[in-house]
Amino acid sequence: MKRMKNKNFKMIYWFDKLCNSKAMKKFTTVWLITLLTMGQAFAGNSSFYTSNRSEEKNEISDVQQTKSVKGRVTDASGETIPGVTISVKGTNQGTTTNIDGEYQLINVQENAVLVFSFVGMETEEIPVAGKTIINVVMSESSIALQEVVAIGYGTMKKSDLTGAVSSVSSRDFINMASSSSNSILAAKAPGVTIRKSNAAPGVAPIIRVRGANSLMGSNDPLIVVDGNYGSLPDMYEIESIEILKDASATAIYGSRGANGVILVTTKRGSQKKPTLEFYSDFSINTIGKRYDLMDAYEFAKFNQSVGAYPFTDAEVEKFKNGGGTDWQDAILQSGLSQSYRVIFSGGSKDIRYHITTHYNDNTGTIRNTEASDYGLKAKVDMDLSNRLTVQVEASAGHNDNLNPELSQGGSKTAIPLMAAVAFSPTVPIYDENGRYTPLGVGSGTLMNPVLMTEAHQRNYGNGATGVGNLQFKITDDLTLNAKALISLSNGGTREFESLEYNRLYPRADQYSYDNKNWLTNAFLTYSKTFANNHDFSAMVGFEQTKYEGQSFSASADRLPIESVGWNNLGLAAPYIGVGSGWADNALRSYFGRINYNYASRYYLTVNYRADGSSKFRGDNRWGYFPSFSLAWRLSEEAFMKEQDLFQNIRIRGGYGVTGSQAVGSYATYSPLRGMGFFWGGSAIQSGYISQIGGNPNLKWESTKQLNVGADFTLIDSRLSLSLDYYNKKTVDLLAPLAVPAYAGGDPEYGRTSVISNVGSVRNEGFEFNLNYFILKTKDWSYDINLNGAFNRNKVLDLGEEARIYGAGYAPGLASTSPFVLMPGQPIGTIFGMKYLGIWQENQAEEAAKYGAQPGDYRYEDLNGNNAYDSDDQQVIGNTNAPFSWGFNNHISIKNVDFNILFEGVHGRDIMNWAYLVATERIDFTQLYTHKDSKDRWTPSNPNAKFARIGNSHLIPLSSQYVEDGSYVKLRNLSVGYRIPKSVVSFATLRLSLSAQNLLVFTKYKGYDPEISSTNDDMNSGMDWFAYPNSRSISFGVAIEY
Amino acid sequence: MKKYIHIIFILSVIVSFTSCQSNDKFLAEEPKGQLFADNLCNNEAEIQLLINGMYGIFDRAINRPYESMEIKFAASDDIIGTGNQRVYYHEMEINMPITTGGDTDVQRGYERAYNTVNQANTIINNYKNATGVVPEARLNALAAQAHYIRAFMYFWLVRFFNNIPLVTTAYDPDSKREVTLSSSKDVYELIVSDLKFAEEWLPVKWDGFMANGAPTKGAAKSTLALVYLQMAGYPVNGGTEYYALARDKAKEVIDRANEFGYALREHFWEVFDPYWEAGSRELDEPIFWIDHTPDDYTVRSPNPSRPIEFGGWESMIAELGFFNRFPEGERKEFTFVTDFYHSNGTYYHYTDLKAKHPAYRKLWADNFTPGWEWENRDDPNSNWRTRMDLSASWYSGRPIIFTRYADVLLIYAEAKARTDGPDALAYKCLNDVRNRAYKGLGTTEASVSNLTTEQFIDSVVWERAWEFAGFEYSARWFDLQRLQLVEKATTEWREEPEEKYQLLRPYTKKDYFLSIPSKEVMLNPNLANNNADLQ
């Protein structure tokens, strides 16, 4: 703590600097101008904001003095509303409505007041006053101003928000197959992109909020589930999701908030009789598109004719009448996913519970890939007194993933899709002895694609988490919250390679990890309204967390008996190896917030957080993250009460700083790397080699973000519109600086780069979100959501570096990465040669200067030195889409509802080297396999797609292989049908049928424009045979007893 | 009272949640189990860990299929890729049409070689930490291995690239030191000084596991002799002065052959015995080698050479003229395979193959699998006669010999002849190698005598070509380079049809060396045009 005091001066200095900064002055000016303009526009208009709420209360008096209350909640059109939260005012008692909109509360005091709240509806407060049946009609309020939403370390009325926050409600995904749980946010909120770059079973999609700021590792937003850092829970468990986008909202998370924060509130138990819900669904997944490859005869004949392989005529003729193998068929299959959930919930006045169990299983579209998981989560809430509430959560789960490596790019010996495209169709899957044909013709080191899928690798994980939360109302105005969390996880990898697969020895290994993570926090919240109009609240808190991980590995390099697999590694002695490892890191934080508003008109929020991370040394250890924001509800002003066009107008703006640790444990060290040596005899002597990597001077990367936004509600609250502009700048960017080989850069036995704080990146963008209730009758309703976001990403500065190269790909195609960072260009820039087509006969003289002939590929020679060299490289693409949008339609007709969701991503480029492999001869595939590749240049075919046979130049890193990866997908099309009580009386039953990715509109030639062989933002547009997304058709059942 | 209880409650909760540890203690990192170079080297065991690691990376730098640069530089006559699938490996990095890939494979060889240099630098810069703990002679002997390996690696690099960055310190992330190209002369200077340190301090024999392959005094002297021989020729052009140094250094080894334990093995094929165990013969031919586990993945394996009919790439095969000129005898029979037996019963003479080329038997089927013994090659049931397609592909189990006694003999013979004419010892050196190659050591049918100095030198140069043909550390290519015979070897000596070469232009001195890989030039533009002065 002493250290913190010394830092106070620094903080004050920092604030002072901030307030005098250019950006602040600019911001203040913009803010004032906006206010003045808006003020003038609406001056003199004085119609009152009128609520269109209409209530209907059916009261049935009950002579017996029962304390039980039940009823039904419907909307204005009479349709029942499931999921409405009903709480007893001033207590923790509450419940939610079931699928039929019915609820029951027991032990309600007669003088109690029930509060009915639901996303998108006006909150209703109804006194019980002795009634036992209270049916409520809720009216829509698309701005849902009274709704309480989660913010970091607390909750807030939605109307009081001053930051950029998007909400997603369960009605947007409840009809989707639960196997798509991970994609529930897709196209739902502007500025939030969800992309599944690798669709292998068990792989989570990539979520980005307002573009990528950081280069090192994660740009993933922070996901906070009921106050715990974690991952998105099962969709049936989700009550609501808020996405905090700007720094004023995320700064309370300090060093974790730079990539946005997704706050998830899950369903909890409520006071009701025990209820059982059951959900199941089943999907069939298929790959929609394939490469158009030659069959065996066509392949043999063409490759013979162009001299690519010396097939004899007899060999060619053999395939004239069929035979051969369609390798895409051989490794692709229809995947099946199924998932089941059982949820128990209920409770009494003082103890409420909610228990969910789930099981998922998903077989992939590539042979021998599968993922499954199951788990249980129990939440129990207890009121120890009317001031003290304790919540306990416990969860445990297991997951299992078969052959996840098959989906990943990198090694050319382990990508079955590549092998399927490049392997010779003349070869049968099995030879005459029933064993896999090991080698193709002319396909070099590539393995039989089906044999490749015979790899047997199992990744498994077990996790258990326990959470205790305590909420203590010290006085009516002062609350203490405290949390303790412990999370244990273990898991690992088990691998077996048969003799047939390995071709030398059967081998097996196991790797396991055992991790522990704990967190504690405590915060005090004070809130009070002074003199009716001054709402004030303040929060101060403390948090610390520590991670410790251990790992262990063992391998058997020559198993004498295959059948023991990985279960008896010791059998391979002395050809066995062992290893172990340890890592830890810790983070300690202090934070606080002040909220103030005057008469629900003028709002101010100030956040401050200080984070200390073990990953940095000395003075670089602590990072300070302040933010503030302002909002003005123009519609509450007296001069606005006259007009009736707008029901709500709010203008808000904020500025703040968030950070990122962006590096792993020990990034400031350069530990040695194990490298044993065989000195003869039977055992390897252990050894170590030095490697580059550590940089003791690392410090926090920080992101400064300005956000200005406005929210409007108009046309009788049927239309709501939010607009946001943001400008965020990440400084002290943690970037990997490539180190030349002579200084120790070695991608295979070491590292290629050292992390340094260099330069800065800017993301600037505009977002809009529009909700409109088009139609609303008793039986029919139709509403739409349209959202879109423009984001412009630009690297501003890289210090002394002119360029920073990304990850290398496909050894043998290019020696440098296709992706670079360079000032003035976005993250994800593709940098290579500009392709100019094919030299024609009348250009022979010019071509000769490059050692080329007519029919060869031609590239732009920027420096005019008659050679294609690195100085001729230029920007040839951008892999990050500047514009994306979502269009979501909800239609309901009586008991049937439809959801139609389109998503568009525009302006994204992809480096399609998969197509190159299929159409050209390269080092490991010496033969042509794609039908397109037959279109070769000859003097009589000058407009051919591809160069002449024997072309002397082929530069893979050229714009020839950069394709437009823009797409529009019909993400979701679903129909749900609620079976009327008159048909099935014992339970509530609901059926749904949905399709994901049913239609894809794109010019892209590969399997799927959404995929990428790597996940990080700098290298996000490489198609090196990544696992494509499938089209799935799902059927779901939901039952509630 | 109630308020009082509340305050105690709050305080106890806050205290229990706020760990008593100070920030500095709580946030301290504990990289348990990690080792760091700068605090290692305090005793022999710690230095030995780094030495083992250095050999591990050295092995990869020089033996792995994608990482050994020689496979990409087969522009010689003993190795040239004229097969049907020659573009499998970017063997023709110079002067041949390359369709894709640029220099990515050369990049790997370059990276691995410098990684080895950096490991040696780490030891050289830190071993003195153990001064006083380890006796001086022992400490210097340990460090001398690092000097030897650094010299070996720089010798390898300088012969492939000529002018290269010369790095002798460990990497420091804070350093902004500008690295530029050093001339090959400066590189050779470091190589010679490293080898001098090594020859002074390395022991004649190592004890324990290091007896199987660690460099010795004899290895340092033999390598130094070869370095001098190379320096005498192109591009250093040291001339007679360096031939004399090479002669004297080789002579030292020959004079102390009994002490060092060197002698030729009786038959040529015995040199490549996969079952050989170090120390099994009192006098033996290998001088510096790496033992291999049977599953080591290496460029000295069947795949690069065997025909596509047998699952190989036939990208590394001898130029036909080279094969035709190769003198008959045991050595030719062992070096090449001309008769091929497939497990499906098909027999091919090499002229029946799609490539119409013999393969290098020297590289073939030398794994530990019983049934591939050379002695059984004529047994009709042996693997050689029934199932050559089923041999190993990228694997080899035999020890990889970098320097052997035959090399020293021929260095002496050539250097002696070039300084003051061949003497009796020079003739003996040459004839021992020739006779062993023909019918075995001790025979005399292949002896030569009374040659002019020119003729003598010529036969030594060719003898080196036959003796080290194939993948014996690019000896032939480096000979062509130092003697400036590349132009001749790529034109008048060739018997292969011209269309198989598709040379872009006639060879020039520029083609004697590789360019620094393009990726490295991008990272440090100072390294561009490393051979700008050559035409």
Side-chain angles (χ1 to χ4, degrees), chain A residues 310 444 483 504 544 582 588 614 666 672 679 686 688 690 692 697 741-742 746 748 805 812 923 926 954, chain B residues 17 19 21 23 29-30 35 49 52 67 87-88 99 101 112 115 119 122 171 174 295 354 520 522 524:
Chain A
K483 173 189 291 293
L504 192 64
Q544 62 183 6
W582 194 84
R588 185 175 271 188
S614 65
Y666 317 135
L672 298 178
W679 282 105
S686 65
Y688 281 85
S690 61
I692 52 157
N697 306 319
Y742 60 75
D746 184 333
E748 280 173 66
Y805 290 89
D923 66 344
Q926 282 295 296
L954 170 58
Chain B
F17 277 86
S19 154
Q21 278 181 311
N23 283 335
E29 274 187 305
E30 278 189 277
L35 306 181
L49 285 176
N52 291 339
E67 291 151 8
V87 274
Y88 265 137
T99 56
R112 228 60 78 232
N115 196 334
Q119 300 314 322
T122 302
Y171 177 68
D174 287 335
D295 48 348
K354 285 175 174 170
E520 297 295 314
M522 285 185 201
N524 183 354

Side-chain angles (χ1 to χ4, degrees), chain A residues 421-497:
Chain A
V421 165
F423 211 70
S424 39
T426 51
V427 174
I429 301 176
Y430 304 99
D431 64 15
E432 54 270 33
N433 302 322
R435 295 164 58 87
Y436 284 107
T437 317
L439 292 168
V441 296
S443 35
T445 46
L446 278 184
M447 194 189 255
N448 178 326
V450 182
L451 176 56
M452 210 180 267
T453 62
E454 286 292 302
H456 202 65
Q457 181 187 339
R458 232 165 228 296
N459 285 10
Y460 64 97
N462 303 304
T465 303
V467 186
N469 292 325
L470 176 150
Q471 191 183 60
F472 181 54
K473 270 194 149 157
I474 301 162
T475 69
D476 286 345
D477 306 322
L478 186 65
T479 309
L480 171 74
N481 280 277
K483 173 189 291 293
L485 174 146
I486 177 97
S487 172
L488 304 171
S489 61
N490 64 62
T493 300
R494 296 180 179 127
E495 236 175 328
F496 170 72
E497 290 176 3

Side-chain angles (χ1 to χ4, degrees), chain A residues 566-591:
Chain A
W566 56 58
N567 300 303
N568 189 353
L569 298 178
L571 196 66
Y575 302 104
I576 52 179
V578 292
S580 67
W582 194 84
D584 71 342
N585 61 60
L587 186 71
R588 185 175 271 188
S589 319
Y590 304 88
F591 48 85

Side-chain angles (χ1 to χ4, degrees), chain B residues 167-401:
Chain B
V167 177
T168 55
T169 53
Y171 177 68
D172 171 6
D174 287 335
S175 158
K176 296 284 179 206
R177 191 170 67 94
E178 193 169 8
V179 173
T180 53
L181 289 165
S182 294
S183 73
S184 51
K185 253 200 179 89
D186 295 343
V187 180
Y188 274 109
E189 214 162 89
L190 179 77
I191 293 168
V192 169
S193 88
D194 271 343
L195 288 173
K196 282 184 169 167
F197 185 94
E199 77 171 332
E200 183 182 355
W201 292 104
L202 285 172
V204 169
K205 277 203 165 71
W206 287 96
D207 296 326
F209 59 78
M210 282 163 73
N212 190 9
T216 55
K217 199 180 279 294
K221 287 178 187 295
S222 306
T223 306
L224 189 53
L226 183 64
V227 169
Y228 287 142
L229 187 74
Q230 194 82 26
M231 289 174 79
Y234 187 82
V236 178
N237 295 321
T240 316
E241 182 194 345
Y242 279 85
Y243 283 124
L245 288 167
R247 175 197 65 201
D248 297 346
K249 200 48 75 181
K251 180 84 173 6
E252 254 184 78
V253 179
I254 295 167
D255 288 347
R256 297 172 70 180
N258 279 333
E259 183 198 348
F260 292 155
Y262 301 149
L264 292 183
R265 285 184 188 168
E266 194 182 347
H267 292 285
F268 184 75
W269 68 78
E270 291 173 345
V271 178
F272 303 92
D273 175 9
Y275 303 103
W276 171 60
E277 280 179 22
S280 57
R281 298 164 190 238
E282 201 183 330
L283 296 182
D284 209 348
E285 189 161 341
I287 291 176
F288 178 50
W289 70 94
I290 278 185
D291 204 346
H292 257 197
T293 54
D295 48 348
D296 256 342
Y297 198 48
T298 169
V299 68
R300 282 151 197 86
S301 61
N303 251 0
S305 183
R306 58 178 172 182
I308 53 174
E309 287 87 345
F310 288 75
W313 325 135
E314 62 189 26
S315 53
M316 299 283 112
I317 49 188
E319 202 274 327
L320 272 182
F322 186 86
F323 170 73
N324 292 336
R325 275 192 295 277
F326 202 102
E328 296 300 321
E330 287 181 359
R331 183 172 60 193
K332 187 168 192 177
E333 195 191 343
F334 180 82
T335 301
F336 294 107
V337 50
T338 51
D339 299 82
F340 300 84
Y341 299 87
H342 200 280
S343 62
N344 64 16
T346 325
Y347 159 79
Y348 303 83
H349 185 254
Y350 78 87
T351 51
D352 303 331
L353 293 169
K354 285 175 174 170
K356 303 196 187 330
H357 247 284
Y360 269 111
R361 173 132 45 190
K362 218 175 181 177
L363 306 172
W364 196 320
D366 58 356
N367 57 355
F368 272 140
T369 324
W372 290 101
E373 292 84 0
W374 168 249
E375 296 84 340
N376 300 333
R377 67 193 181 281
D378 294 327
D379 176 350
N381 296 319
S382 76
N383 288 340
W384 289 105
R385 301 291 291 273
T386 56
R387 51 207 299 246
M388 290 175 72
D389 52 316
L390 299 181
S391 63
S393 53
W394 272 127
Y395 305 100
S396 170
R398 71 178 168 156
I400 304 291
I401 303 165

Side-chain angles (χ1 to χ4, degrees), chain A residues 1 3-4 309-312 315 387-388 412 439 442-445 470 472 474 480 482-484 502-505 518 520-522 524 542 544-546 558 582 584 586-588 590 612-615 621-622 665-666 668-672 675-681 685-690 692 694-697 738-749 752 754 800 805 811-816 870 873 921-924 926 951-956, chain B residues 2-3 6 9-10 13-14 17-24 26-37 40 48-57 59-60 64 66-67 84-90 97-105 107-108 110-112 114-115 118-119 122 145 165 167 171 173-174 176 179 209-214 290-296 306 308-309 311 313 354 367 392-395 504 518-524 527:
Chain A
M1 290 305 289
R3 189 173 201 101
M4 282 298 295
Y309 191 82
F311 282 110
T312 61
E315 282 167 344
R387 287 195 178 277
L388 182 62
K412 62 191 172 197
L439 292 168
S443 35
T445 46
L470 176 150
F472 181 54
I474 301 162
L480 171 74
K483 173 189 291 293
N502 183 285
R503 299 184 63 198
L504 192 64
Y505 297 102
W518 62 258
T520 58
N521 71 30
L524 275 168
F542 164 80
Q544 62 183 6
T545 179
K546 194 169 177 78
R558 298 185 211 177
W582 194 84
D584 71 342
L587 186 71
R588 185 175 271 188
Y590 304 88
S613 167
S614 65
K615 294 175 185 172
R621 180 157 276 167
W622 286 87
S665 298
Y666 317 135
T668 58
Y669 293 88
S670 302
L672 298 178
M675 166 73 74
F677 184 65
F678 181 75
W679 282 105
Q685 298 288 326
S686 65
Y688 281 85
I689 58 172
S690 61
I692 52 157
N695 181 352
N697 306 319
V739 174
Y742 60 75
D746 184 333
E748 280 173 66
Y749 303 98
T752 52
V754 170
E800 291 173 14
Y805 290 89
L813 287 187
S815 52
T816 55
S870 58
Q873 293 194 323
R921 297 177 76 186
I922 55 171
D923 66 344
F924 52 89
Q926 282 295 296
N951 158 55
S952 66
H953 290 88
L954 170 58
I955 301 179
Chain B
K2 203 176 170 189
K3 209 161 200 173
H6 281 165
F9 179 80
I10 295 159
V13 167
I14 289 174
F17 277 86
T18 311
S19 154
C20 298
Q21 278 181 311
S22 71
N23 283 335
D24 278 346
F26 182 73
L27 297 177
E29 274 187 305
E30 278 189 277
K32 288 195 256 187
Q34 309 273 18
L35 306 181
F36 302 97
L40 221 57
Q48 188 65 48
L49 285 176
L50 295 180
I51 286 173
N52 291 339
M54 175 182 72
Y55 285 124
I57 198 77
D59 181 21
R60 283 158 175 83
R64 300 270 155 153
Y66 298 100
E67 291 151 8
N84 280 300
Q85 301 190 36
R86 67 175 200 204
V87 274
Y88 265 137
Y89 294 94
H90 305 294
I98 310 163
T99 56
T100 60
D103 51 10
T104 56
D105 283 349
Q107 169 76 26
R108 296 202 212 197
Y110 177 93
E111 274 162 0
R112 228 60 78 232
Y114 270 107
N115 196 334
N118 278 309
Q119 300 314 322
T122 302
Q145 297 177 78
V167 177
Y171 177 68
D174 287 335
K176 296 284 179 206
V179 173
F209 59 78
M210 282 163 73
N212 190 9
I290 278 185
D291 204 346
H292 257 197
T293 54
D295 48 348
D296 256 342
R306 58 178 172 182
I308 53 174
E309 287 87 345
W313 325 135
K354 285 175 174 170
N367 57 355
S393 53
W394 272 127
Y395 305 100
L504 294 175
S518 54
K519 178 183 171 189
E520 297 295 314
V521 175
M522 285 185 201
L523 295 178
N524 183 354
L527 308 185

Side-chain angles (χ1 to χ4, degrees), chain A residues 11-30:
Chain A
M11 293 182 211
I12 292 164
Y13 167 70
W14 209 100
F15 256 128
D16 195 43
K17 222 176 151 185
L18 172 79
C19 296
N20 287 312
S21 72
K22 234 181 196 171
M24 266 325 294
K25 281 175 184 157
K26 195 170 144 195
F27 162 68
T28 316
T29 317
V30 170

Side-chain angles (χ1 to χ4, degrees), chain A residues 907-1013:
Chain A
R908 172 177 192 246
D909 294 319
I910 299 176
M911 190 78 199
N912 188 355
W913 274 351
Y915 189 67
L916 165 72
V917 168
T919 54
E920 294 284 359
R921 297 177 76 186
I922 55 171
D923 66 344
F924 52 89
T925 77
Q926 282 295 296
L927 305 179
Y928 300 102
T929 54
H930 198 289
K931 280 187 174 160
D932 285 1
S933 58
K934 291 168 78 174
D935 186 15
R936 315 304 304 193
W937 187 94
T938 61
S940 57
N941 184 19
N943 296 319
K945 196 165 187 169
F946 297 104
R948 71 184 171 97
I949 297 295
N951 158 55
S952 66
H953 290 88
L954 170 58
I955 301 179
L957 187 41
S958 82
S959 56
Q960 188 180 4
Y961 297 98
V962 175
E963 288 188 40
D964 183 357
S966 303
Y967 59 87
V968 174
K969 286 191 174 189
L970 175 53
R971 262 292 165 215
N972 185 47
L973 174 67
S974 60
V975 188
Y977 176 62
R978 205 172 57 243
I979 295 177
K981 267 273 158 64
S982 55
V983 180
V984 180
S985 58
F986 62 90
T988 326
L989 192 63
R990 180 183 174 80
L991 306 175
S992 63
L993 184 65
S994 69
Q996 274 85 45
N997 301 325
L998 193 59
L999 298 174
V1000 180
F1001 304 93
T1002 182
K1003 282 187 245 166
Y1004 187 63
K1005 291 197 200 82
Y1007 289 107
D1008 179 7
E1010 195 177 339
I1011 54 172
S1012 170
S1013 294

Side-chain angles (χ1 to χ4, degrees), chain A residues 218-473:
Chain A
S218 176
N219 277 307
D220 297 338
L222 178 70
I223 297 176
V224 183
V225 183
D226 297 331
N228 306 319
Y229 305 121
S231 53
L232 278 181
D234 193 77
M235 72 184 202
Y236 291 108
E237 224 190 298
I238 298 173
E239 175 84 41
S240 64
I241 300 175
E242 321 299 330
I243 300 157
L244 314 184
K245 296 189 285 196
D246 73 332
S248 68
T250 63
I252 198 65
Y253 289 104
S255 66
R256 298 166 180 251
N259 303 315
V261 180
I262 297 179
L263 294 179
V264 181
T265 308
T266 65
K267 292 176 178 158
R268 306 195 78 86
S270 53
Q271 189 180 343
K272 63 179 179 185
K273 73 174 171 51
T275 310
L276 186 146
E277 293 157 70
F278 172 77
Y279 301 92
S280 88
D281 58 62
F282 179 83
S283 312
I284 297 175
N285 314 313
T286 48
I287 304 290
K289 195 171 170 182
R290 300 213 176 164
Y291 278 112
D292 195 10
L293 305 182
M294 296 186 244
D295 64 20
Y297 172 69
E298 199 178 356
F299 167 84
K301 198 169 164 63
F302 180 70
N303 283 291
Q304 180 202 39
S305 72
V306 299
Y309 191 82
F311 282 110
T312 61
D313 290 344
E315 282 167 344
V316 175
E317 286 307 301
K318 202 173 86 188
F319 293 104
K320 200 162 189 176
N321 302 317
T325 309
D326 181 335
W327 292 103
Q328 292 187 99
D329 273 356
I331 64 153
L332 294 177
Q333 61 184 14
S334 289
L336 299 178
S337 345
Q338 43 188 319
S339 65
Y340 305 97
R341 285 158 181 52
V342 179
I343 303 175
F344 302 96
S345 63
S348 65
K349 181 175 174 296
D350 296 330
I351 300 184
R352 300 166 298 280
Y353 59 90
H354 191 269
I355 300 163
T356 47
T357 61
H358 76 271
Y359 172 77
N360 295 317
D361 182 70
N362 182 359
T363 57
T365 46
I366 292 178
R367 191 174 173 267
N368 275 349
T369 58
E370 185 176 0
S372 65
D373 66 282
Y374 49 84
L376 180 142
K377 186 171 183 179
K379 289 178 277 197
V380 179
D381 302 346
M382 292 166 282
D383 298 336
L384 301 184
S385 76
N386 57 5
R387 287 195 178 277
L388 182 62
T389 301
V390 174
Q391 297 178 328
V392 182
E393 276 180 42
S395 62
H398 172 83
N399 65 69
D400 210 317
N401 197 341
L402 177 65
N403 289 332
E405 299 290 329
L406 288 184
S407 62
Q408 286 162 10
S411 162
K412 62 191 172 197
T413 53
I415 318 173
L417 261 186
M418 179 205 285
V421 165
F423 211 70
S424 39
T426 51
V427 174
I429 301 176
Y430 304 99
D431 64 15
E432 54 270 33
N433 302 322
R435 295 164 58 87
Y436 284 107
T437 317
L439 292 168
V441 296
S443 35
T445 46
L446 278 184
M447 194 189 255
N448 178 326
V450 182
L451 176 56
M452 210 180 267
T453 62
E454 286 292 302
H456 202 65
Q457 181 187 339
R458 232 165 228 296
N459 285 10
Y460 64 97
N462 303 304
T465 303
V467 186
N469 292 325
L470 176 150
Q471 191 183 60
F472 181 54
K473 270 194 149 157

